[in-house]
Amino acid sequence: MVVSTEGKNGRIIISPPVQMVDMEKKNRVYSYEFSNYGDKPVGVQVEISNWTKDENNKMVLIPSEPDSFDQWIIATPVDFTVPPNGRQVVRFTVRPAVELSEGEHHAAFVFKERLLQDTITEKREDDLVIRNLFEIKSAVYAEVGEVTRSGNFTEFALSENGFLTNIQSLGNGHVRPSGRFQIWESGRFPGKESALRIDPESTEKPDGLVYLSRLRKGSVLGGQTKWLRHSLSNLELEKGAYQVFLYGYLGDRSFEEVVALSVSN
């Protein structure tokens, strides 16, 4: 898996999208690969930051704290230029100067575009060039001691173009759903046993099945409760009643739930 962005001069890819650090290992050396599939060189600066999730469950950067994990990450290089169709490896290690508390710790790598000298354009009265610079964030998670990943679905909602799940993370590590959901016309759900036998890759849908897709694997940090939105690709639900069947794993437990929901706007 990768994180990518489309820039003015081509496609930028960061791999892997998320890093998991095992603090039990003595040799804690990890790496990112930055690839430039554009036709011009790209300048990059790397920053390491503390972060949390906002009310929309989006990553937001926050200042470092005395015990925040970002302080103990050492990366190299942190300023480089990638040629067209080239790549750059950024390696990092984790060296805590204090004993970390048990549970999950996290930080973020932030890859920011740096304008190169030959891309800077003078501003003229009749020619103002506006350039959007990319900024790519990647989460780094580290486990210390026993990490519990447990959570519950507390609420569900359905809109004309999305299925929403409210997730409460109860452990000391983040949780993310993994599985699928099905949307059925009300009263047409055939039961869990029959629904689980449906081939998600088949182009033929049983009567009454409106939509089937994977649950979005967004994370909810330990101790937080957040909404995750699972978009409905190329579909707009009509007003009315539906039954939603979701199944898979949330943290350390499996789930199979059927909920009655409606679209009212």
Side-chain angles (χ1 to χ4, degrees):
M1 294 181 65
V2 297
V3 175
S4 66
T5 185
E6 296 288 342
K8 180 180 180 181
N9 299 317
R11 191 180 185 200
I12 303 301
I13 290 180
I14 302 292
S15 179
V18 175
Q19 295 275 4
M20 301 295 295
V21 173
D22 184 353
M23 295 301 294
E24 297 297 321
K25 290 185 177 180
K26 292 183 179 180
N27 183 24
R28 293 188 293 269
V29 179
Y30 300 84
S31 65
Y32 285 98
E33 184 174 280
F34 183 101
S35 300
N36 173 19
Y37 288 94
D39 57 6
K40 293 184 179 180
V42 174
V44 183
Q45 290 179 323
V46 180
E47 297 178 3
I48 301 168
S49 176
N50 191 15
W51 64 276
T52 188
K53 294 285 189 81
D54 64 12
E55 63 275 6
N56 297 314
N57 204 41
K58 300 293 185 182
M59 176 190 285
V60 290
L61 306 181
I62 58 175
S64 293
E65 299 175 353
D67 59 349
S68 58
F69 187 66
D70 57 292
Q71 299 181 84
W72 318 124
I73 297 178
I74 302 170
T76 185
V78 294
D79 195 321
F80 53 87
T81 300
V82 186
N85 294 310
R87 69 186 185 94
Q88 173 69 53
V89 175
V90 177
R91 292 182 172 84
F92 71 93
T93 186
V94 180
R95 298 176 183 172
V98 297
E99 183 175 352
L100 299 179
S101 59
E102 185 172 70
E104 184 179 78
H105 299 259
H106 56 264
F109 268 73
V110 186
F111 297 86
K112 294 183 176 181
E113 183 176 7
R114 169 178 50 80
L115 280 178
L116 301 176
Q117 191 62 37
D118 60 358
T119 64
I120 299 176
T121 304
E122 282 190 23
K123 176 182 175 182
R124 304 196 305 264
E125 290 184 3
D126 59 345
D127 184 13
L128 176 61
V129 176
I130 299 176
R131 173 96 181 267
N132 291 324
L133 304 181
F134 67 74
E135 180 177 291
I136 304 174
K137 304 181 184 73
S138 171
V140 179
Y141 295 98
E143 297 183 351
V144 178
E146 183 177 354
V147 177
T148 57
R149 303 189 186 280
S150 62
N152 292 321
F153 292 104
T154 62
E155 291 183 77
F156 302 97
L158 195 61
S159 68
E160 56 190 14
N161 55 18
F163 171 52
L164 294 89
T165 56
N166 191 255
I167 295 176
Q168 181 183 30
S169 182
L170 301 171
N172 60 6
H174 76 276
V175 295
R176 61 179 74 236
S178 174
R180 298 180 183 274
F181 68 99
Q182 303 173 3
I183 301 177
W184 293 80
E185 296 174 4
S186 183
R188 304 291 299 277
F189 180 63
K192 293 181 181 179
E193 186 175 341
S194 296
L196 288 171
R197 288 199 300 264
I198 295 173
D199 181 3
E201 305 302 327
S202 175
T203 56
E204 296 184 6
K205 295 187 298 185
D207 291 342
L209 178 60
V210 179
Y211 190 80
L212 186 157
S213 185
R214 292 185 182 275
L215 290 165
R216 174 178 162 240
K217 292 185 178 181
S219 65
V220 178
L221 297 179
Q224 295 190 352
T225 301
K226 301 291 182 181
W227 284 97
L228 288 185
R229 181 182 182 85
H230 314 278
S231 298
L232 310 181
S233 302
N234 303 317
L235 175 68
E236 185 170 310
L237 293 175
E238 298 179 357
K239 295 180 182 179
Y242 297 88
Q243 288 173 286
V244 180
F245 175 44
L246 60 158
Y247 51 98
Y249 292 86
L250 180 62
D252 298 329
R253 75 174 183 91
S254 63
F255 62 85
E256 293 180 6
E257 298 197 35
V258 182
V259 290
L261 300 171
S262 61
V263 176
S264 57
N265 54 9

